[in-house]
Amino acid sequence: MSSSSRLFLTCAAIVIAIVASAAPAQAKAPPRGKYDCTISGNLFGVLTIKSKGRYSHRGSSGTFRAKGGSVRFPDGIVAWRISFKGGSLGGMKGRWHRTSDGVDEIALKNPINGFESIYCDRR
């Protein structure tokens, strides 16, 4: 093998290693199951997280997408971003995390004012 071929293979291996290490963080979806949702302590319905990015809430269904890796939010919570399409939660965005008590929680923002006001805790 010539020195130029070895140099080419070495450079190719380095480029592949750099690309592989710079891959974006994998999004993590919330665990499947039923979540009781509340607004100011009042029941807002049961959110069911299904497999493959699907959900149901109040008799309607849609899709959700977890985005990117975990993020530290200004309130100090490390969570994953989530957004919903279709169904009764369509257009809502928020975050999900595991609380210090070990409960999986999805916190959603009101699409009108951006205030986080809906909290869904896994049963």
Side-chain angles (χ1 to χ4, degrees):
M1 182 181 289
S2 70
S3 62
S4 62
S5 296
R6 276 183 270 162
L7 178 62
F8 175 78
L9 290 176
T10 302
C11 290
I14 290 170
V15 168
I16 289 170
I18 290 171
V19 170
S21 67
Q26 188 70 0
K28 185 174 179 181
R32 288 184 293 179
K34 294 187 183 288
Y35 293 73
D36 292 321
C37 298
T38 59
I39 298 176
S40 301
N42 297 315
L43 187 63
F44 179 64
V46 176
L47 167 63
T48 303
I49 297 293
K50 301 175 179 182
S51 63
K52 299 184 181 177
R54 304 206 54 79
Y55 82 93
S56 65
H57 179 256
R58 294 182 149 188
S60 67
S61 61
T63 59
F64 70 89
R65 189 167 89 173
K67 297 179 182 176
S70 61
V71 175
R72 180 174 298 277
F73 286 84
D75 59 4
I77 293 175
V78 176
W80 290 269
R81 290 186 172 108
I82 189 168
S83 62
F84 292 85
K85 281 188 168 184
S88 61
L89 299 179
M92 291 191 161
K93 295 179 180 182
R95 61 185 177 173
W96 83 268
H97 70 283
R98 181 162 287 148
T99 66
S100 59
D101 298 338
V103 175
D104 295 316
E105 179 176 78
I106 299 171
L108 299 174
K109 293 180 179 182
N110 182 325
I112 296 171
N113 60 14
F115 184 71
E116 189 177 275
S117 58
I118 300 170
Y119 298 94
C120 304
D121 293 332
R122 190 167 180 226
R123 294 180 176 175

